[in-house]
Amino acid sequence: MTIQWYPGHMAKAKREVQEKLKIIDVVIEIVDARIPLSSRNPMIDDLTSHKPRLILLNKADLADSQLTKQWVQYFEKKNFAVLTVDAQLGKGIKDIPMKVRELAKPLLDKFRAKGMNPRALRALILGIPNVGKSTVINRLANKKITKIGDRPGVTKSQQWIKVGKEMELLDTPGILWPKFEDQDVGFRLALTGAIKEEIFDFQETIVFLLNELKTSYPERLKERYHLETLAEDITELLDDIGTRRGCLVAGGLVDYDRTAEMIFRDFRQGKLGHISLERP
Ligand code: GDP
């Protein structure tokens, strides 16, 4: 799913999220573990400041595990609850209800102080497109989605999913737009599939990727493309990779388009290993 964001859409998305937040106890924000800052909505902190928030670093299976650990520390230092998740395989999902309970302890204490039995905690999944919101919801629902009726204040189409005894989840996630202003953020979003790569100049996106790989994962580049050394100049590096891989046009010149597409495919298919494109 790719959404084109225009100012009108952004305003509408914001209103919808604000509406949902009214009846929510805890926000579960999903980010891409490979780009935890670039895959966040620029307004998320303001929008959800009045709610306890759990951050899921999803797609951890694709990320650099060393860096993911550093990101966990980064968010914990900012006083967020954090979990590392691979929603595709369901790893880390079972810890979510417990974390949500911990986060909502003040609220539960308030119920008890009033002599009320704590009700199930109401959670909302929030994030930019393609970070894995639906996958997480399906995992939490454990495929057995129990529709438990409407709650006051919500449109009829919204349903709650029961997760164990103590948590209820809105069946539709809150969707917000990513950051667009910074070009590097755009490259990261395009490379990880959060936005259509056609939005950006493809060659430029690959140049960004090659620079990142050359700086942070030089050995992977050498290994994958059988290079002894990595050329300083990125055009030269593209030349070397294209030549090695036989991406040539008539006359033996390197076909840059095909070379760039091959590198992009290798990255997307994980052939360059677990790679994160952002560090704390
Ligand atoms: P949404 O737009 O946020 O609801 O994202 P989806 O749940 O539709 O997921 C977008 C894509 O990412 C799908 O192709 C999922 O299969 C994939 N995906 C979701 N979670 C993970 C994960 O933890 N690891 C990997 N490798 N892929 C994932």
Side-chain angles (χ1 to χ4, degrees):
M1 173 186 56
T2 307
I3 301 174
Q4 292 279 18
W5 295 100
Y6 298 105
H9 296 134
M10 293 182 181
K12 183 159 176 270
K14 184 181 164 192
R15 267 198 315 274
E16 282 173 3
V17 165
Q18 281 171 324
E19 198 53 40
K20 288 178 177 183
L21 284 172
K22 284 184 189 162
I23 44 136
I24 285 295
D25 300 315
V26 177
V27 171
I28 302 174
E29 181 195 357
I30 307 187
V31 300
D32 187 319
R34 296 167 292 176
I35 51 167
L37 295 185
S38 295
S39 58
R40 303 181 90 193
N41 171 268
M43 302 177 51
I44 187 99
D45 287 337
D46 286 340
L47 262 175
T48 62
S49 60
H50 53 305
K51 302 283 175 183
R53 190 166 10 139
L54 168 62
I55 295 179
L56 302 185
L57 298 171
N58 190 38
K59 308 200 185 184
D61 54 310
L62 305 173
D64 180 331
S65 58
Q66 279 307 106
L67 284 177
T68 302
K69 279 186 198 139
Q70 290 180 28
W71 279 113
V72 168
Q73 289 171 353
Y74 170 92
F75 286 113
E76 280 176 348
K77 272 205 189 115
K78 292 191 182 290
N79 284 320
F80 289 113
V82 196
L83 281 175
T84 301
V85 175
D86 166 1
Q88 187 122 292
L89 290 181
K91 285 186 193 162
I93 295 288
K94 67 176 189 328
D95 298 327
I96 295 173
M98 183 198 62
K99 277 277 181 189
V100 165
R101 241 181 0 258
E102 270 173 37
L103 265 175
K105 189 168 180 304
L107 182 75
L108 295 174
D109 289 346
K110 218 162 78 188
F111 281 126
R112 287 192 195 96
K114 286 186 190 160
M116 294 155 70
N117 259 341
R119 55 164 172 75
L121 293 165
R122 295 166 189 166
L124 169 71
I125 301 270
L126 200 54
I128 67 166
N130 277 312
V131 281
K133 295 181 296 299
S134 310
T135 311
V136 169
I137 290 173
N138 284 331
R139 279 282 169 196
L140 280 170
N142 204 11
K143 302 269 184 326
K144 300 173 295 199
I145 295 186
T146 327
K147 300 266 165 129
I148 52 175
D150 302 330
R151 295 263 179 241
V154 196
T155 51
K156 287 262 184 301
S157 59
Q158 301 215 339
Q159 301 282 340
W160 296 84
I161 296 163
K162 243 182 162 352
V163 183
K165 281 201 178 72
E166 293 169 62
M167 185 176 146
E168 292 172 3
L169 186 69
L170 260 191
D171 72 342
T172 50
I175 305 170
L176 290 168
W177 60 97
K179 299 171 197 163
F180 290 112
E181 309 80 46
D182 180 334
Q183 179 161 267
D184 285 358
V185 170
F187 291 142
R188 291 189 191 102
L189 290 169
L191 285 164
T192 55
I195 55 176
K196 275 211 167 113
E197 61 263 23
E198 297 96 73
I199 293 180
F200 290 90
D201 184 279
F202 188 61
Q203 292 284 350
E204 276 184 53
T205 309
I206 296 307
V207 166
F208 174 86
L209 175 64
L210 278 180
N211 270 315
E212 288 289 309
L213 294 172
K214 202 159 81 81
T215 312
S216 305
Y217 305 94
E219 294 311 314
R220 306 262 187 89
L221 260 184
K222 285 186 195 163
E223 212 174 289
R224 176 74 195 163
Y225 302 114
H226 307 291
L227 304 167
E228 304 266 310
T229 53
L230 299 178
E232 259 319 300
D233 181 73
I234 289 292
T235 313
E236 242 174 80
L237 182 57
L238 260 177
D239 257 327
D240 291 346
I241 294 173
T243 308
R244 274 286 179 188
R245 279 306 167 109
C247 294
L248 305 173
V249 285
L253 295 172
V254 167
D255 184 333
Y256 290 113
D257 286 334
R258 258 176 65 213
T259 307
E261 270 158 32
M262 176 199 65
I263 296 168
F264 183 63
R265 223 172 24 244
D266 284 353
F267 173 72
R268 277 286 177 88
Q269 294 174 352
K271 301 224 164 97
L272 290 155
H274 304 280
I275 285 169
S276 296
L277 294 172
E278 203 164 47
R279 33 188 79 227

